[in-house]
């Protein structure tokens, strides 16, 4: 199974994910409850939940998008210059389920190295990364099974494309996905997650087959209390394999979750990076469907 990473860098004073703008860590209690499937709390209603979320409804440069011949001619650019990464292993991180996504974050100390990317003369620090199933962005109409890790916005999100085939062998970088799932079940806090609509084996098989999820994500409050400590997270294999994240697609968009702030510089990686079959199953089991719909139609005819 493979996916494409995206780097989000936001250029506004707001926060984004890897995009070029400053980002804040997710805080589920920071605003009204939203999700991906509720009749009154799903993506079609995000802009109505709170005045701070109005851009989700009225914004004209919303993400995610489908990267295809039309969008490439209008507002998406192909970049071939490598991004400059200054990454060192992160110590004392934690993997956990937030209620919407599996997230890996950490609290850097005053003397900690700031993992960052440089775009032009600007530096953007990595503060966390998380996952979506299926990928939020599409490539020529196709989802990937899952989107990927680090995106420094002054943080990072991830995007994927449809994988050519599943990979039976698990990938060391994503070992925490199956470990977190096992810990959730071992603590007997996963009954609601395991039984949640959309996380049955049939749905997982459909996800693996067509890179499209169906159903709803788990909302178990107990599952959100389970943390899996990570003594160290080493990004070197990821950065090395993706060769400076080139080539890639660049465009100006938005956060894909409330408040949907715009002026986010997305960098969607062209070349896929593998994820193991068991790791994908663990991801789907924990978070279910958590991808916003494609937002291309909001864009002006010509940009």
């Amino acid at each position: 199974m493979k996916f494409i990473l995206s780097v989000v860098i936001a250029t506004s004073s707001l926060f984004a994910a890897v995009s070029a703008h400053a980002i804040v860590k997710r805080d589920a209690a920071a605003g009204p409850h939203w999700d991906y499937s509720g009749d009154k709390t799903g993506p079609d209603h995000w802009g109505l939940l709170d005045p701070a979320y109005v851009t989700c409804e009225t914004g004209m440069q919303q993400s995610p998008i489908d990267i295809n011949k039309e969008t490439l001619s209008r507002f998406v650019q192909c970049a071939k210059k490598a991004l400059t990464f200054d990454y060192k292993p992160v110590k004392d991180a934690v993997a956990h389920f937030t209620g919407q996504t599996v997230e890996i974050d950490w609290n850097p100390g005053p003397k900690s190295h700031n993992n960052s990317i440089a775009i032009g003369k600007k530096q953007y620090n990595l503060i966390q990364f998380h996952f979506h199933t299926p990928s939020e962005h599409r490539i020529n109409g196709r989802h990937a099974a899952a989107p990927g890790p680090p995106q420094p916005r002054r943080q990072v999100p991830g995007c994927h494309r449809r994988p050519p085939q599943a990979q039976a062998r698990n990938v060391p970088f994503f070992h925490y996905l199956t470990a977190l799932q096992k810990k959730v079940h071992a603590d007997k806090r996963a009954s609601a997650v395991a039984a949640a609509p959309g996380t049955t084996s049939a749905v997982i098989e459909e996800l693996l087959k067509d890179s499209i999820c169906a159903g709803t994500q788990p909302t178990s409050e107990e599952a959100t209390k389970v943390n899996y400590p990570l003594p160290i997270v080493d990004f070197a294999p990821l950065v090395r394999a993706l060769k400076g994240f080139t080539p890639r697609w660049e465009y100006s968009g938005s956060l894909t979750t409330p408040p949907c702030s715009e002026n986010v510089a997305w960098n969607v990686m062209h070349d896929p990076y593998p994820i193991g079959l068991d790791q994908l199953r663990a991801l789907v089991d924990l978070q279910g469907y958590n991808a916003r719909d494609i937002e291309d139609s909001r864009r002006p005819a010509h940009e």
Side-chain angles (χ1 to χ4, degrees):
M1 186 65 60
K2 297 183 178 181
F3 61 78
I4 289 184
L5 301 181
S6 44
V7 174
V8 183
I9 300 167
T11 54
S12 72
S13 60
L14 299 173
F15 303 97
V18 145
S19 100
H21 88 190
I23 291 195
V24 293
K25 291 189 177 181
R26 291 170 176 254
D27 183 354
H33 170 73
W34 56 268
D35 56 35
Y36 290 94
S37 60
D39 291 340
K40 296 182 179 180
T41 54
D44 290 343
H45 300 276
W46 286 352
L48 306 176
L49 296 176
D50 189 285
Y53 299 171
V54 67
T55 304
C56 300
E57 180 77 16
T58 63
M60 298 298 289
Q61 292 189 329
Q62 290 289 288
S63 299
I65 64 169
D66 182 6
I67 298 174
N68 55 40
K69 183 177 180 180
E70 179 184 352
T71 56
L72 280 167
S73 65
R74 288 168 54 203
F75 60 90
V76 178
Q77 305 296 322
C78 182
K80 297 182 179 180
K81 185 177 180 180
L83 293 174
T84 301
F85 284 80
D86 182 13
Y87 275 16
K88 292 184 179 180
V90 169
K91 296 181 180 179
D92 299 324
V94 61
H96 59 105
F97 176 61
T98 67
Q100 275 122 358
T101 182
V102 172
E103 180 175 290
I104 289 77
D105 55 28
W106 52 90
N107 293 314
K111 295 184 179 180
S112 298
H113 176 78
N114 285 324
N115 282 344
S116 65
I117 59 171
I119 299 181
K121 296 182 179 180
K122 294 184 178 180
Q123 176 178 306
Y124 302 93
N125 296 333
L126 174 68
I127 62 173
Q128 55 100 321
F129 59 91
H130 57 272
F131 300 81
H132 295 274
T133 47
S135 64
E136 294 190 299
H137 286 75
R138 299 183 194 180
I139 310 299
N140 292 320
R142 298 282 190 174
H143 282 288
Q151 313 163 333
R153 315 169 187 188
R154 286 184 195 185
Q155 292 189 235
V156 184
C159 294
H160 304 58
R161 72 178 175 192
R162 183 175 182 270
Q165 62 182 12
Q167 173 173 302
R169 180 173 54 85
N170 285 332
V171 179
F173 183 81
F174 301 108
H175 71 90
Y176 41 79
L177 295 177
T178 49
L180 176 61
Q181 181 200 32
K182 289 177 181 178
K183 192 170 191 299
V184 168
H185 285 284
D187 288 353
K188 298 182 179 180
R189 295 172 177 168
S191 58
V193 175
T199 59
T200 63
S201 59
V203 171
I204 294 176
E205 292 303 328
E206 185 66 17
L207 170 63
L208 297 176
K209 177 182 177 183
D210 297 321
S211 299
I212 296 176
C213 292
T216 60
Q217 66 184 79
T219 57
S220 170
E221 292 185 3
E222 289 185 332
T224 65
K225 298 176 183 178
V226 179
N227 292 328
Y228 181 78
L230 299 173
I232 193 166
V233 177
D234 186 2
F235 299 105
L238 182 69
V239 175
R240 185 168 54 248
L242 293 173
K243 300 176 182 178
F245 284 25
T246 55
R248 65 185 180 279
W249 294 289
E250 298 179 332
Y251 80 97
S252 180
S254 75
L255 297 182
T256 58
T257 58
C260 307
S261 310
E262 296 188 336
N263 295 320
V264 173
W266 278 92
N267 286 256
V268 181
M269 303 307 109
H270 182 279
D271 294 331
Y273 188 77
I275 189 171
L277 178 62
D278 288 344
Q279 293 165 334
L280 179 60
R281 288 177 182 275
L283 199 56
V284 174
D285 178 53
L286 288 168
Q287 64 183 34
Y289 185 102
N290 69 342
R292 189 186 190 191
D293 293 338
I294 294 299
E295 301 291 324
D296 296 7
S297 61
R298 300 210 202 179
R299 298 256 173 178
H302 300 285
E303 294 192 13

